[in-house]
Amino acid sequence: MSEPTVKLIGCFASPFVHRAEVALRLKGVPYELIEEDLSNKSDLLLKHNPVHQKVPVLIHGDRPAICESLVIVEYVDEVFDGPPLLPSEPLVRAAARFWASFVDKQFRESWIAMWADGEAQVASAREAKANLTLIEGQLPEGKRFFGGDSVGYLDIVFGGIAHWMEMFEEITGVPLLAEEEHPALCRWAREYTADEIVRQCLPDRDRLLAALTPKRDTFVSIAKAMATQK
């Protein structure tokens, strides 16, 4: 009996879709990437993620779809053979989940720091840098990755820091991740983006910049709205 097909609804330039793709590739799972136009959402996306109407969405055979990048990564790790992504020891696994939740909840500060202005930007930049210091502290001493000697769950989760943050910094001129302040995290970012499997689904730098730069005004508006809600 053939294995159920795996389809991933995603879009170019999304660090959250990247998480799902890396997890699938690390597990050696063949999949079809269905490119979604988020400005004109398809019936397929609305059918399989009617709640949030966002990507990524994983469709595994005729089973109910799985939504949200962190949920998808854990599902892929549990269902498919291949190298484990999450730590096997319960306490370490719980800590990994905590830091995954932490980085997603702190996304707001980085976004305001990048795209807002005035006192809100200054305060958020300060907090975003402090958060990067906390994340850097989770790197195991003497190891290349958060997962040890190979890419693991937290490396996948922090992938946006490794690749997308640099793009946003170039567009905005706001440096958050600097070699002088976070040398270990910068070293990890280089290691992560150079990994052979990661590179297979990492958006091309020039194409990513070209896709993100025209959205600057939209990003600024989102940041200002976030700042007023703090």
Side-chain angles (χ1 to χ4, degrees):
M1 182 181 296
S2 60
E3 291 293 323
T5 59
V6 176
K7 298 179 181 180
L8 181 66
I9 305 176
C11 67
F12 178 76
S14 168
F16 303 105
V17 174
H18 174 73
R19 288 175 175 176
E21 286 202 82
V22 173
L24 289 165
R25 288 178 181 270
L26 286 171
K27 287 287 190 175
V29 180
Y31 66 95
E32 176 189 354
L33 178 63
I34 302 173
E35 292 271 358
E36 180 70 28
D37 179 3
L38 295 179
S39 65
N40 183 26
K41 296 177 182 179
S42 68
D43 291 339
L44 183 69
L45 175 63
L46 298 179
K47 172 186 175 181
H48 289 291
N49 190 2
V51 177
H52 298 300
Q53 303 179 9
K54 296 179 180 179
V55 295
V57 176
L58 186 76
I59 305 172
H60 186 196
D62 58 1
R63 306 172 189 184
I66 302 101
C67 308
E68 302 295 326
S69 63
L70 296 182
V71 178
I72 290 172
V73 171
E74 291 208 32
Y75 176 84
V76 169
D77 193 29
E78 293 176 3
V79 169
F80 298 103
D81 294 331
L85 304 178
L86 275 153
S88 58
E89 203 278 314
L91 184 61
V92 182
R93 187 164 62 247
R97 288 178 172 138
F98 168 83
W99 286 107
S101 175
F102 173 83
V103 77
D104 276 6
K105 288 178 179 177
Q106 295 303 316
F107 169 78
R108 171 192 294 264
E109 298 303 330
S110 297
W111 196 261
I112 295 172
M114 287 286 188
W115 301 103
D117 53 20
E119 293 182 6
Q121 188 277 331
V122 173
S124 290
R126 185 166 51 247
E127 186 166 345
K129 290 181 179 182
N131 291 337
L132 290 173
T133 300
L134 291 172
I135 290 169
E136 184 177 53
Q138 306 315 304
L139 270 168
E141 188 173 352
K143 300 295 185 180
R144 296 173 61 202
F145 300 106
F146 288 94
D149 295 320
S150 58
V151 172
Y153 176 73
L154 280 184
D155 300 286
I156 295 170
V157 172
F158 297 152
I161 296 173
H163 192 57
W164 278 260
M165 183 168 282
E166 179 187 358
M167 306 300 122
F168 290 138
E169 287 177 340
E170 183 165 335
I171 296 169
T172 64
V174 178
L176 293 180
L177 182 61
E179 192 82 36
E180 300 77 21
E181 295 177 277
H182 302 103
L185 197 56
C186 289
R187 188 270 308 158
W188 163 81
R190 291 190 294 270
E191 293 272 15
Y192 179 79
T193 55
D195 182 83
E196 182 178 355
I197 292 178
V198 171
R199 288 177 61 189
Q200 292 173 11
C201 53
L202 205 61
D204 174 76
R205 185 182 186 281
D206 291 340
R207 188 183 168 203
L208 186 56
L209 274 174
L212 294 174
T213 301
K215 298 178 181 179
R216 181 186 180 105
D217 289 346
T218 299
F219 295 158
V220 169
S221 296
I222 293 171
K224 288 181 177 179
M226 286 180 171
T228 61
Q229 295 168 6
K230 289 188 67 175

